[in-house]
Amino acid sequence: MKELIIGIDLGGTSVKMSLVKASGKIIKKWSIVTNIKNEGASIIPDIIQSIRDQLRGMSLTNSDLIGIGMGSPGAIDRNQKTVSGAYNLNWVEKQEIGKAFNDAFAVPFYIENDANLAALGEKWQGSGNDLANVVFITLGTGVGGGIIINNHLITGSHGCAGEIGHLYVTDNPIYQCTCGNTGCLEAVASANGMLLLTQELSKNHIQESAIKQAVLEGKILSVKEIFDAAKEKDSFAMSAVTTFASYIGKACSHITNILDPDKIIIGGGIASAGTELLEAIFDSYDQHVFPKARDKDILTLAKLAKLGNDAGILGAAYLVLSSQKG
Amino acid sequence: MKELIIGIDLGGTSVKMSLVKASGKIIKKWSIVTNIKNEGASIIPDIIQSIRDQLRGMSLTNSDLIGIGMGSPGAIDRNQKTVSGAYNLNWVEKQEIGKAFNDAFAVPFYIENDANLAALGEKWQGSGNDLANVVFITLGTGVGGGIIINNHLITGSHGCAGEIGHLYVTDNPIYQCTCGNTGCLEAVASANGMLLLTQELSKNHIQESAIKQAVLEGKILSVKEIFDAAKEKDSFAMSAVTTFASYIGKACSHITNILDPDKIIIGGGIASAGTELLEAIFDSYDQHVFPKARDKDILTLAKLAKLGNDAGILGAAYLVLSSQKG
């Protein structure tokens, strides 16, 4: 009986793979090194061989598989099942990944970008509780998003759905974004954005603060140092975290006022600051969300990463299930 | 052969009805007066009788119908097919509309709020060109919206999807919204909002302007007067229209950065200001939208109302088609 799915999370240093049941239970998890030599020519053959070896080791055949789902960096063509511009893999040419997998396994194959798969994984087996309408925001080096409506990823007319990091949240023109616009969420809420925000706020903060002093002296603090100082009641750090959270709260209110999803899940490195951050975000969110949609349970933190699970491989497996439901 | 749909647009003064082909072609259009006497007790029986009479007159039977779709004011329960709180119809009790229609016609019956049906109609037969992902914004007494993803209306976890009028667009606390929040799009871009915006802007406009003078003297201008003066190059009116459009542009950029739809259609009374308004909105939109999604063709004006067609009855018909596609 077909009840197993292969989930693949292709990254620049390793390829994580898993054999997952349709229930979400991970049967087996393994990984191989990503060999980026020779323009990454052996990456896909290595993955295919590794899956074959694993299936053989467990006495499984293609007929046990519902399908194979894969997350990849670069620009994905979901219909052609190709990847272009994945520079961290040294791929120069467009890669015909779907063809390679179809030739090797003759089971349905689906491909998606890795950020969207993390969203799908978290929706399915994480804080999303497998609800139908879930938005996932990652706060890290950049600010990304994934939009799931009626159990399907929304990719958009130009592939730009879920560009949460580029929601306009402040009129202050100093916050230049890498995309070329100003005032984007990413410009104030990515790791670098938070540091820029801190520098800017330090100019007008009146109270005494060790953190403000350090910023004014040109010291480059980590985001963690600022969050930790806020927990220790440093007045400037607290004010910086509140401002940072207010921008995320505004962006989340836009999401609810447009989509009113079941959950907005916040993940990524910065989100590890935990419930204090979530509450600060909610305070701002609550001011801007349409009153009838006010609901403390909508905003939640991602949990898969915290549990040591891999949202990417679970998302790759769910991609197969949701694509087949049509 | 089942190829006909009844579309019903129930309003406070009249009920518009139509017989529509699955292609969108309107075969027949008629209306009856909405009788709100006796707590509106005869409204639904009147509609049912009128449809029976029309079908009989055209020698049609229930077996010719794919289904019946209806737009109603009030709070809709889409599953139970009931309406509550439609005060302009004098309905005090919850109305079991689905039951009445099922008893009378034994064909599939669907009900939706009238604003969402206008969005569906415009998506299907209007400026939406029957594209799968369309957002409709109405600018009028209020600012409303309808979100269509993958040919289906999105209603949201609390029924609040498409509350475009409550997107937060300005930090100025003077712009109080009827919802209780401040800075909502509706607070500056509804008909009343534009007048409040004009009063506020008049305080800081330096150049001479007949319109500014009128506002400062406490004269209540219509939105049309302000738009007309902007076309005549009154400096203050031009500045007011630019500011007004900038808020709508911001809100539209939020929509694209989240959903990247195929079209954002702007309709309602204020939208009749035409292409000048659309261009001013686009100027602001373009500054805030993620660069890869920049596309002048996304923003467009509604056309059904302009053509004298009725977006509501067409939307009611499309509701049947899209619900049956599942």
Side-chain angles (χ1 to χ4, degrees):
Chain A
M1 206 186 98
K2 288 183 195 298
E3 59 159 4
L4 297 171
I5 309 159
I6 303 276
I8 307 167
D9 183 6
L10 169 55
T13 51
S14 73
V15 187
K16 293 177 193 157
M17 285 171 275
S18 64
L19 190 67
V20 183
K21 286 185 113 168
S23 64
K25 190 175 157 59
I26 296 177
I27 305 286
K28 180 145 196 182
K29 212 160 100 168
W30 72 97
S31 68
I32 60 172
V33 170
T34 309
N35 181 356
I36 60 170
K37 286 179 198 153
N38 299 320
E39 298 186 357
S42 72
I43 294 175
I44 296 301
D46 286 355
I47 295 173
I48 287 173
Q49 190 55 50
S50 170
I51 294 171
R52 279 187 172 138
D53 293 346
Q54 291 287 338
L55 290 175
R56 195 174 304 123
M58 289 181 284
S59 303
L60 295 169
T61 67
N62 296 347
S63 63
D64 296 303
L65 297 180
I66 299 171
I68 299 174
M70 179 168 166
S72 172
I76 312 287
D77 183 323
R78 295 166 185 91
N79 293 320
Q80 299 299 316
K81 296 169 185 172
T82 59
V83 172
S84 313
Y87 302 112
N88 60 336
L89 303 176
N90 277 347
W91 281 346
V92 179
E93 304 288 327
K94 184 165 77 178
Q95 303 290 311
E96 300 278 352
I97 297 179
K99 193 180 173 313
F101 274 86
N102 283 337
D103 289 351
F105 298 101
V107 301
F109 174 82
Y110 304 94
I111 189 162
E112 188 45 77
N113 78 54
D114 34 19
N116 273 343
L117 287 194
L120 275 184
E122 195 66 41
K123 165 256 191 295
W124 187 35
Q125 295 294 321
S127 295
N129 298 327
D130 206 17
L131 290 161
N133 304 299
V134 170
V135 174
F136 186 64
I137 304 177
T138 39
L139 299 169
T141 313
V143 174
I147 315 277
I148 298 152
I149 302 288
N150 200 14
N151 298 309
H152 284 79
L153 272 172
I154 302 299
T155 52
S157 180
H158 307 79
C160 297
E163 287 291 353
I164 308 296
H166 302 281
L167 286 170
Y168 182 74
V169 294
T170 170
D171 288 326
N172 188 334
I174 195 160
Y175 298 117
Q176 266 282 347
C177 186
T178 50
C179 79
N181 295 345
T182 64
C184 292
L185 179 63
E186 184 165 297
V188 290
S190 64
N192 272 334
M194 170 138 205
L195 298 179
L196 176 62
L197 180 70
T198 311
Q199 282 163 18
E200 186 62 16
L201 294 175
S202 68
K203 296 175 192 162
N204 297 309
H205 189 81
I206 295 160
Q207 292 165 273
E208 286 299 307
S209 149
I211 293 289
K212 178 184 75 174
Q213 206 50 44
V215 172
L216 286 174
E217 285 165 9
K219 203 178 155 203
I220 305 293
L221 300 169
S222 72
V223 170
K224 188 174 182 312
E225 283 173 293
I226 297 163
F227 274 100
D228 286 349
K231 284 183 190 167
E232 300 295 323
K233 310 281 180 214
D234 178 283
S235 71
F236 173 71
M238 285 167 72
S239 144
V241 168
T242 301
T243 307
F244 167 80
S246 76
Y247 292 130
I248 303 169
K250 266 189 196 178
C252 291
S253 80
H254 296 333
I255 293 168
T256 294
N257 289 336
I258 293 172
L259 288 174
D260 188 15
D262 302 315
K263 291 277 176 198
I264 299 175
I265 305 173
I266 296 168
I270 295 175
S272 64
T275 50
E276 287 93 344
L277 174 62
L278 193 67
E279 280 175 18
I281 293 172
F282 185 78
D283 284 346
S284 154
Y285 170 80
D286 204 41
Q287 286 172 46
H288 305 307
V289 78
F290 186 63
K292 211 182 126 195
R294 275 191 186 128
D295 181 346
K296 196 148 188 173
D297 292 335
I298 291 185
L299 292 192
T300 181
L301 293 169
K303 74 176 184 196
L304 283 187
K306 218 156 88 182
L307 295 173
N309 284 320
D310 196 308
I313 51 178
L314 283 167
Y318 186 76
L319 178 69
V320 174
L321 288 179
S322 68
S323 301
Q324 299 213 322
K325 275 184 220 163
Chain B
M1 206 188 97
K2 288 182 195 296
E3 58 159 6
L4 297 171
I5 310 159
I6 303 277
I8 306 167
D9 184 4
L10 170 56
T13 50
S14 72
V15 187
K16 293 177 193 156
M17 286 173 275
S18 63
L19 190 68
V20 182
K21 285 186 113 167
S23 64
K25 189 175 159 61
I26 296 178
I27 305 288
K28 179 141 197 184
K29 214 159 99 170
W30 72 98
S31 68
I32 60 173
V33 169
T34 309
N35 180 356
I36 61 171
K37 286 178 198 154
N38 299 319
E39 299 187 356
S42 72
I43 294 175
I44 296 301
D46 286 355
I47 295 173
I48 288 173
Q49 190 55 49
S50 169
I51 293 171
R52 279 188 172 137
D53 292 346
Q54 291 287 337
L55 290 175
R56 194 173 304 122
M58 289 182 283
S59 302
L60 294 169
T61 68
N62 296 347
S63 64
D64 295 302
L65 296 180
I66 299 172
I68 299 174
M70 178 168 167
S72 172
I76 312 287
D77 183 323
R78 294 166 185 91
N79 294 319
Q80 298 300 315
K81 297 169 185 172
T82 59
V83 172
S84 313
Y87 302 112
N88 60 336
L89 304 177
N90 277 348
W91 280 346
V92 178
E93 305 287 326
K94 184 165 76 176
Q95 303 290 310
E96 300 279 350
I97 298 179
K99 194 180 171 314
F101 274 87
N102 284 335
D103 289 350
F105 299 102
V107 302
F109 175 81
Y110 303 94
I111 189 161
E112 187 47 76
N113 78 55
D114 35 18
N116 274 343
L117 288 194
L120 276 184
E122 194 65 42
K123 165 254 189 299
W124 187 33
Q125 295 293 322
S127 294
N129 298 328
D130 206 18
L131 290 161
N133 304 298
V134 169
V135 174
F136 185 66
I137 304 177
T138 40
L139 300 169
T141 313
V143 175
I147 315 278
I148 297 152
I149 301 288
N150 200 15
N151 299 310
H152 285 77
L153 272 172
I154 302 299
T155 52
S157 181
H158 306 78
C160 297
E163 287 291 354
I164 308 297
H166 303 281
L167 286 170
Y168 182 73
V169 294
T170 169
D171 288 327
N172 189 335
I174 195 162
Y175 298 116
Q176 267 282 346
C177 187
T178 50
C179 79
N181 295 345
T182 63
C184 293
L185 179 63
E186 183 165 298
V188 289
S190 64
N192 272 334
M194 170 135 205
L195 298 180
L196 176 61
L197 179 70
T198 310
Q199 283 163 18
E200 185 62 16
L201 295 175
S202 67
K203 297 175 192 162
N204 298 309
H205 189 80
I206 295 160
Q207 292 164 272
E208 286 298 308
S209 149
I211 293 289
K212 178 183 77 172
Q213 206 50 43
V215 172
L216 286 173
E217 286 166 8
K219 203 179 155 203
I220 304 294
L221 300 170
S222 72
V223 169
K224 187 172 182 315
E225 283 174 294
I226 297 164
F227 274 100
D228 286 349
K231 283 184 192 167
E232 299 295 323
K233 309 282 179 215
D234 178 283
S235 71
F236 173 71
M238 285 167 73
S239 145
V241 168
T242 301
T243 307
F244 167 82
S246 77
Y247 292 128
I248 303 169
K250 267 189 195 178
C252 290
S253 81
H254 296 332
I255 293 167
T256 294
N257 289 335
I258 293 171
L259 289 175
D260 188 16
D262 302 316
K263 291 278 176 199
I264 299 176
I265 305 173
I266 297 169
I270 294 175
S272 64
T275 50
E276 286 95 342
L277 174 62
L278 194 68
E279 280 175 18
I281 294 172
F282 186 78
D283 284 346
S284 154
Y285 170 81
D286 204 42
Q287 285 173 46
H288 306 307
V289 78
F290 187 62
K292 212 183 127 195
R294 275 190 187 129
D295 181 346
K296 196 149 190 174
D297 293 334
I298 291 184
L299 293 193
T300 181
L301 294 170
K303 74 176 183 197
L304 284 189
K306 218 156 87 184
L307 296 174
N309 285 319
D310 196 308
I313 51 178
L314 284 167
Y318 186 76
L319 177 68
V320 174
L321 289 179
S322 69
S323 301
Q324 300 214 321
K325 277 185 215 161

